[in-house]
Amino acid sequence: MLNLERLRTLDALARHGSVSGAAEGLHITTSAVSQQMSKLEREVGQRLLAKNGRGVRLTDAGRLLAEHAARILSQVELAQADLEAQRGQVAGELRLAAFPTAARGLFPAALAGLRTEHPALRLRSCELEPEQAVAGVVRGDLDLAVVLDWYNKPMPLPDGLVKAPILDDPADVAMPVGHRFAGRDEVDLAEFAEDEWITWGQGEFCHEWLMFTLRSKGIEPIIGHRAAETHTQLGLVAAGLGVCVVPLLGRHPMPAEVVTVPLRQRVRRHVYVIWRADADRRPSIRAAVRALRSAGERVSASATAVS
């Protein structure tokens, strides 16, 4: 009889590609991963791992069993989802991730509401960039993730995921109060061809969007500074070091030395939550989606009231 936890360890090894990656994904030690794999090899009577330099790789038998393990674990998750749905109880552990501004702008209200309404639900959250969060949901390391794409640059999602919209997040240009456009009612991105931009990290989805959008307008952007956090970007703007695109979500409080001006062509991020289709019937998933959408509605309502 194959042990389910050992199959889960093998599946994690296949997905992460290393003992350390599997250990991190499973929240156990590397020695525990090695012990589980040794026991699984004894159970099946075949070598499942082989040395590969300083690491390991799956043998042919290991890859074959890993493929079965992925299907078995998916069926187990479906069974658990069905049982949870039949009980109708929002309980157990729920692992969530969001990109930084969503973690700041949505998680406090949504997760506090979930904890109050469903005290038997254990919540574990972290900040992750969208691409990492999608990979985490696909691997099964996360149950839910709040991700985004832009109005002119959608982010492709792998098969087997479900998504629900949370809000459309409007973005303006943030500039120092003394900037030549600070008193304008609206601006166009093309007007900032000579300005230094403060942007996100190299390779991040939002940075790639900004480069794509500016270049589509014939602008080769001047990148002055990079910062992952919106408030760090705004601090640099406040110091007169450049301009940045700043979405509504998570921007407040704004520094007094910064003004925001809407773009003539309205720019929006589409913010949504994703989860695996085989977990769709879990009451905890459905409760979390409702809480996140409710938090998104409050953000949208506050934006409408301000405008």
Side-chain angles (χ1 to χ4, degrees):
M1 180 70 70
L2 293 172
N3 179 281
L4 188 61
E5 287 308 309
R6 288 164 199 156
L7 289 179
R8 199 180 302 279
T9 303
L10 175 63
D11 177 65
L13 265 170
R15 289 186 285 105
H16 290 277
S18 69
V19 171
S20 60
E24 184 177 352
L26 294 170
H27 306 290
I28 60 177
T29 64
T30 54
S31 61
V33 170
S34 299
Q35 290 168 16
Q36 290 278 50
M37 291 305 301
S38 295
K39 291 176 182 178
L40 185 58
E41 287 182 329
R42 288 197 295 271
E43 285 177 351
V44 300
Q46 295 189 63
R47 290 284 303 278
L48 302 175
L49 296 178
K51 289 189 178 296
N52 184 28
R54 294 186 177 180
V56 295
R57 61 173 176 81
L58 294 179
T59 64
D60 290 344
R63 286 194 296 271
L64 177 64
L65 186 56
E67 291 172 4
H68 285 289
R71 289 192 291 270
I72 290 167
L73 293 170
S74 179
Q75 286 300 119
V76 169
E77 182 147 15
L78 280 170
Q80 290 173 334
D82 284 343
L83 286 170
E84 281 189 32
Q86 187 179 52
R87 289 195 306 267
Q89 295 177 346
V90 180
E93 183 175 271
L94 198 65
R95 301 156 300 170
L96 309 92
F99 57 94
T101 51
R104 181 166 60 248
L106 295 172
F107 271 6
L111 301 190
L114 276 170
R115 173 176 286 183
T116 300
E117 191 172 351
H118 306 289
L121 183 63
R122 298 187 304 277
L123 298 166
R124 302 288 182 266
S125 71
C126 64
E127 289 185 359
L128 282 177
E129 290 301 322
E131 298 92 337
Q132 297 170 293
V134 169
V137 174
V138 170
R139 289 195 306 263
D141 299 337
L142 297 168
D143 298 304
L144 287 166
V146 178
V147 298
L148 65 92
D149 55 28
W150 291 85
Y151 74 103
N152 60 341
K153 191 174 177 62
M155 184 173 70
L157 289 179
D159 293 337
L161 297 182
V162 180
K163 72 176 184 177
I166 296 178
L167 79 156
D168 279 351
D169 187 23
D172 304 322
V173 177
M175 61 194 76
V177 291
H179 193 278
R180 64 191 184 281
F181 298 146
R184 295 266 293 271
D185 292 330
E186 58 182 18
V187 291
D188 190 280
L189 283 174
E191 296 179 286
F192 294 90
E194 303 304 318
D195 286 87
E196 285 194 36
W197 284 94
I198 299 162
T199 181
W200 297 267
Q202 182 72 37
E204 290 186 15
F205 185 73
C206 288
H207 170 77
E208 296 304 320
W209 165 80
L210 182 62
M211 299 300 98
F212 168 81
T213 303
L214 291 172
R215 286 167 179 160
S216 71
K217 294 179 176 293
I219 301 170
E220 185 55 41
I222 304 168
I223 304 301
H225 307 277
R226 299 179 187 274
E229 282 285 346
T230 298
H231 283 178
T232 305
Q233 294 183 8
L234 291 173
L236 294 167
V237 173
L241 297 173
V243 301
C244 71
V245 170
V246 56
L248 173 69
L249 187 61
R251 76 164 70 164
H252 297 292
M254 291 282 293
E257 302 85 358
V258 175
V259 297
T260 59
V261 180
L263 285 157
R264 187 169 296 116
Q265 180 187 10
R266 295 297 181 245
V267 170
R268 292 181 179 272
R269 302 190 300 184
H270 307 304
V271 180
Y272 49 96
V273 57
I274 61 170
W275 63 96
R276 292 184 305 282
D278 55 15
D280 193 44
R281 292 187 289 276
R282 288 177 59 188
S284 56
I285 294 283
R286 294 182 175 275
V289 171
R290 286 194 300 270
L292 287 164
R293 297 189 75 173
S294 177
E297 288 168 4
R298 288 195 289 274
V299 171
S300 297
S302 67
T304 301
V306 170
S307 61

